[in-house]
Amino acid sequence: MSTDEALSADETVSADEIRAIELLGRVSYGRVATSMRAMPFVAPARHVVADGRVLLRMHRGLGYHRACNGSVVAYGADNFGSGTERIWSVQFTGTAEIVEPTAEELAAFGPEPVRVDGEPFTPVFLRIEPQFVTVHELDYSGRPEAGSTGHSEKRPEEHSEEHSEERHLHHAA
């Protein structure tokens, strides 16, 4: 199922969610974050998008899937190392659940690693049902010339606070 087909099934999908899913499709790996024994941790994971939800493949041998299963997690991916002038970061926050992927979903993941930290790779799959989705984009394409401060002529108090407040409320909702 394509991203467009998955998204058209849910009429309440926001523009940020559509953009986040499109960007997530550009990279293969991200990081899942939750807590284990009351301590935060972040672990790498391979992802695909299926039916508007994020499906993760992790190594069972690390045990991180047990902390994620049934818990609220955050999954983030970005293009920070791409060398482009337009940097983006997406985050999906929601409840994770261990699942058995379909044959189509398994094929979408592609080849598995042979080893993780020296031991044979054994996959486990988690699906995240997103409750919150955020997208951040940094644009370096209009960087000022050397010697310029790059600051706009407006003083900070003159910048519209309305957009900033609206953006904050969107992410907090």
Side-chain angles (χ1 to χ4, degrees):
M1 175 180 286
S2 74
T3 300
D4 291 337
E5 290 171 332
L7 293 175
S8 65
D10 183 357
E11 299 298 325
T12 63
V13 176
S14 73
D16 272 355
E17 289 171 306
I18 293 168
R19 180 74 174 139
I21 288 170
E22 186 269 325
L23 291 169
L24 194 63
R26 295 181 185 185
V27 296
S28 300
Y29 284 86
R31 290 156 300 283
V32 64
T34 194
S35 64
M36 188 169 10
R37 294 186 294 276
M39 301 296 287
F41 79 90
V42 177
R46 170 77 168 93
H47 65 261
V48 297
V49 176
D51 297 325
R53 290 172 285 181
V54 180
L55 183 62
L56 306 180
R57 180 179 71 193
M58 300 174 70
H59 175 50
R60 182 180 300 275
L62 299 175
Y64 296 146
H65 64 287
R66 288 190 295 275
C68 295
N69 190 37
S71 297
V72 173
V73 302
Y75 184 72
D78 56 63
N79 71 337
F80 290 166
S82 68
T84 66
E85 292 181 328
R86 297 187 70 98
I87 304 298
W88 56 263
S89 172
V90 298
Q91 181 172 296
F92 294 80
T93 303
T95 304
E97 178 183 2
I98 295 174
V99 295
E100 287 297 322
T102 66
E104 183 179 272
E105 291 168 340
L106 280 173
F109 277 109
E112 296 177 348
V114 175
R115 298 191 171 285
V116 173
D117 296 338
E119 65 179 65
F121 179 78
T122 305
V124 64
F125 300 89
L126 295 161
R127 186 176 318 276
I128 301 172
E129 188 70 47
Q131 300 299 312
F132 304 102
V133 176
T134 57
V135 177
H136 297 289
E137 295 183 87
L138 305 163
D139 185 354
Y140 288 90
S141 63
R143 283 194 307 221
E145 306 260 339
S148 172
T149 65
H151 298 290
S152 72
E153 294 302 312
K154 287 184 176 182
R155 294 191 327 252
E157 62 273 10
E158 293 177 312
H159 288 281
S160 169
E161 291 182 20
E162 182 178 316
H163 176 71
S164 176
E165 181 177 320
E166 179 181 306
R167 184 172 176 90
H168 175 72
L169 291 175
H170 169 77
H171 292 297

